[in-house]
Amino acid sequence: MAAPVVDSWSWFPALALGVSLLKCLFINAYHSTDFEVHRNWLAITHSLPVSRWYHENTSEWTLDYPPLFAWFEFGLSHVAQHFDRNMLLVENLNYDSPATVLFQRLSVIFTDLVFIFAVRECCRCVQEQKGSRDILNRPSFVLAVLLLWNFGLLIVDHIHFQYNGFLFGFLLLSVAKHLQVRPRVYVDLSCRNDDCHIYLYVAPAYGIYLLRSYCFTQDNKDGSISWRSFSPLRLIALGSIVGSVCALSFGPFIAMGQLPQVLSRLFPFKRGLCHAYWAPNIWALYNILDKVLVTLGVRLKLLQEAELPRASMTGGLVQEFQHSVLPSITPSITLVCTLLSILPAAASIWWRPGGARGFLRCLLLCALGSFMFGWHVHEKAILIAILPLSILAVESREDAGIFLVLTTTGHYSLFPLIFTPAELPIKAVLMLMFVIYSFTALRKLHRSETSEHRLHWTGGQYLYFHKSHLKILNHFYIKAAVSSCFR
């Protein structure tokens, strides 16, 4: 008789509690302008009628998230009034009393319960190794650490300040329900994970996969689509769920005739090709090339410096600018490039879905394609690919290699978000710890597999450079912090 498999999950609450306590240590840490953004949204949704939410412009940080998130802020505001009512005054710009800071920080930590629950569901989906009794080497434990203690999510949400954990919770929960093959549940969750419009990046993966796998009830023997199995009733059911979520979100504003105003806030194309802090994508390289060509043109006297456009690519709230030498990029160009980049993945899950993990791979490619070619991409968008990839990393040695490259470089690209002296040692140490754990845990997890999928030597050298750089930064920042204490 086979030995019983250890199925105790007593370690999970301890792991979740540990990371929650760590987040509490960051309550008085540096916070970015996003702190004021969300405080202002609390004030707008609490103090003003719904008809004025998307028209209010007292602050430069106007409400530009979808209505469901606005209602989320509305709910938070009713708790916030018990901490400090002054934070809910629209005219109190840049208000950050101790009570306000405490509430804002705790609200992120508390709403991360959605993320914690989603991580638990994802951990239940991975295949455990037979005969393994060591909890530390179980795929579910490694996945829980990679998700709960994700370095990028920690610094973006709990130092920089945002609510990504809450939103990623819905994303991961919908992925988990796909992996658990529960159609009625995951269809509804799939339609609800677009609370923040950045998740439109992965909408094609959801739309195509649900249409293919839910509305067509069976495949041919070779895995291709069986057109005769199409179910109109399932299409109606899927359409009704999508329609009901859209109606719930946008219905009140459509009734008030404010849909154009809401859409203008959600898609502010005048903010320019790149975010103020450039995400490391193709357009950042394009901008650099344009700058290099301008410098060479001026030095070679092929261009007149006085005639070049003066708009900045990096400063200010509105980032509209024209390239000086290369053709300027428009939103339609980025849309075409994005669609072309995700087309192979979308076509693949249509013709050969490959099950829920085939959908997950398509989701990752859609996220990466949008990150590389999208318009006004935020740096945090790389987490949309990093977090779901964690699931595949604990199941496949090849995916683990990709995960190590993407997380190390993707997280490192977030470093400029945290630039204050007090937080420099924190980000360096946390990043170094996460990298070391990721490499060590995944290597142990896949040590019994064949070595045909080892990390290519160029990728290894690339990561070695980043690890060495992190060690140097870590030493420098800790030394600087210690010396500053004795000034």
Side-chain angles (χ1 to χ4, degrees):
M1 181 172 146
V5 178
V6 178
D7 194 28
S8 172
W9 285 80
S10 58
W11 52 267
F12 188 86
L15 203 61
L17 179 61
V19 73
S20 297
L21 293 176
L22 176 66
K23 295 170 185 177
C24 291
L25 297 178
F26 299 147
I27 286 178
N28 291 320
Y30 154 82
H31 55 77
S32 70
T33 53
D34 281 328
F35 183 89
E36 168 61 15
V37 169
H38 289 281
R39 187 218 59 82
N40 183 54
W41 294 356
L42 287 173
I44 290 174
T45 55
H46 185 84
S47 305
L48 302 177
V50 178
S51 59
R52 292 183 56 191
W53 284 3
Y54 287 93
H55 287 274
E56 169 60 38
N57 59 2
T58 300
S59 169
E60 59 181 342
W61 313 115
T62 54
L63 180 59
D64 60 5
Y65 270 28
L68 287 180
F69 194 89
W71 286 109
F72 166 72
E73 294 276 5
F74 175 77
L76 287 181
S77 70
H78 284 76
V79 181
Q81 65 182 340
H82 299 293
F83 283 76
D84 186 347
R85 282 187 169 274
N86 289 328
M87 79 171 83
L88 302 176
L89 300 178
V90 176
E91 61 272 16
N92 272 359
L93 303 182
N94 300 311
Y95 186 79
D96 59 351
S97 67
T100 301
V101 172
L102 179 63
F103 168 75
Q104 292 272 74
R105 293 295 196 188
L106 290 179
S107 68
V108 181
I109 296 172
F110 180 77
T111 54
D112 273 357
L113 290 175
V114 176
F115 181 74
I116 292 172
F117 176 71
V119 171
R120 170 66 185 269
E121 291 300 302
C122 288
C123 290
R124 294 169 64 90
C125 298
V126 298
Q127 298 177 352
E128 300 288 4
Q129 296 175 345
K130 294 182 179 180
S132 175
R133 291 180 173 272
D134 185 359
I135 292 178
L136 298 181
N137 291 329
R138 291 174 60 181
S140 57
F141 180 86
V142 175
L143 177 60
V145 175
L146 294 180
L147 290 174
L148 291 177
W149 293 78
N150 180 271
F151 166 77
L153 201 55
L154 283 175
I155 66 167
V156 171
D157 274 14
H158 301 282
I159 299 181
H160 184 78
F161 190 85
Q162 285 180 8
Y163 287 93
N164 293 295
F166 165 72
L167 297 172
F168 278 124
F170 284 101
L171 177 67
L172 291 181
L173 192 56
S174 69
V175 170
K177 297 309 175 184
H178 278 75
L179 296 175
Q180 294 170 6
V181 194
R182 298 182 183 177
R184 292 184 180 179
V185 179
Y186 76 61
V187 167
D188 185 53
L189 286 169
S190 299
C191 297
R192 292 179 184 273
N193 72 19
D194 287 340
D195 287 352
C196 177
H197 48 312
I198 195 174
Y199 293 94
L200 286 175
Y201 288 175
V202 296
Y206 279 97
I208 295 173
Y209 182 74
L210 289 175
L211 182 63
R212 173 66 173 83
S213 299
Y214 184 71
C215 297
F216 290 87
T217 57
Q218 63 184 21
D219 297 334
N220 294 322
K221 292 182 179 180
D222 61 355
S224 61
I225 188 171
S226 174
W227 295 98
R228 294 182 178 180
S229 67
F230 175 72
S231 171
L233 292 179
R234 288 198 171 195
L235 178 62
I236 294 173
L238 180 62
S240 64
I241 293 175
V242 175
S244 62
V245 173
C246 291
L248 178 66
S249 181
F250 293 98
F253 299 94
I254 294 175
M256 292 184 291
Q258 294 186 6
L259 183 61
Q261 174 64 19
V262 174
L263 294 179
S264 69
R265 287 285 184 87
L266 299 186
F267 302 100
F269 292 114
K270 290 186 178 181
R271 290 191 179 180
L273 176 63
C274 294
H275 195 250
Y277 160 52
W278 295 355
N281 60 10
I282 192 68
W283 306 126
L285 296 176
Y286 191 86
N287 290 342
I288 293 172
L289 179 59
D290 187 70
K291 290 292 188 182
V292 170
L293 293 177
V294 168
T295 301
L296 290 176
V298 171
R299 289 188 177 183
L300 296 175
K301 298 183 178 180
L302 298 175
L303 298 173
Q304 297 297 324
E305 188 172 5
E307 298 177 358
L308 296 175
R310 295 293 181 182
S312 170
M313 295 182 185
T314 58
L317 180 65
V318 178
Q319 305 296 320
E320 267 193 306
F321 63 86
Q322 297 292 319
H323 290 92
S324 302
V325 177
L326 298 176
S328 293
I329 304 299
T330 63
S332 58
I333 292 176
T334 63
L335 176 61
V336 171
C337 291
T338 300
L339 292 177
L340 289 176
S341 70
I342 68 176
L343 184 60
S348 176
I349 64 166
W350 175 260
W351 296 112
R352 297 287 192 278
R357 279 165 179 77
F359 154 75
L360 181 54
R361 294 182 187 279
C362 180
L363 181 149
L364 293 170
L365 291 173
C366 287
L368 289 172
S370 300
F371 180 82
M372 292 302 297
F373 298 101
W375 177 268
H376 200 74
V377 175
H378 287 244
E379 62 289 327
K380 67 178 182 181
I382 192 62
L383 296 177
I384 301 179
I386 288 177
L387 293 174
L389 182 57
S390 306
I391 301 172
L392 298 176
V394 300
E395 294 185 336
S396 164
R397 186 187 185 99
E398 183 179 14
D399 291 321
I402 298 171
F403 173 82
L404 292 174
V405 174
L406 185 63
T407 54
T408 305
T409 56
H411 287 163
Y412 187 72
S413 72
L414 299 174
F415 263 42
L417 288 176
I418 313 297
F419 54 84
T420 46
E423 284 71 33
L424 290 178
I426 296 175
K427 72 176 184 182
V429 171
L430 287 178
M431 172 72 175
L432 197 60
M433 290 173 61
F434 187 82
V435 169
I436 292 174
Y437 177 81
S438 299
F439 272 81
T440 305
L442 290 175
R443 183 175 60 182
K444 288 183 179 180
L445 197 60
H446 299 298
R447 65 179 180 270
S448 61
E449 298 181 23
T450 58
S451 59
E452 60 177 315
H453 292 310
R454 286 179 180 174
L455 190 63
H456 194 272
W457 73 272
T458 53
Q461 292 297 318
Y462 185 59
L463 291 182
Y464 178 78
F465 166 77
H466 279 278
K467 289 170 70 178
S468 300
H469 196 187
L470 278 170
K471 290 178 181 178
I472 294 172
L473 287 174
N474 186 26
H475 173 76
F476 173 78
Y477 292 144
I478 292 177
K479 183 177 179 181
V482 171
S483 61
S484 64
C485 294
F486 295 95
R487 289 179 181 175

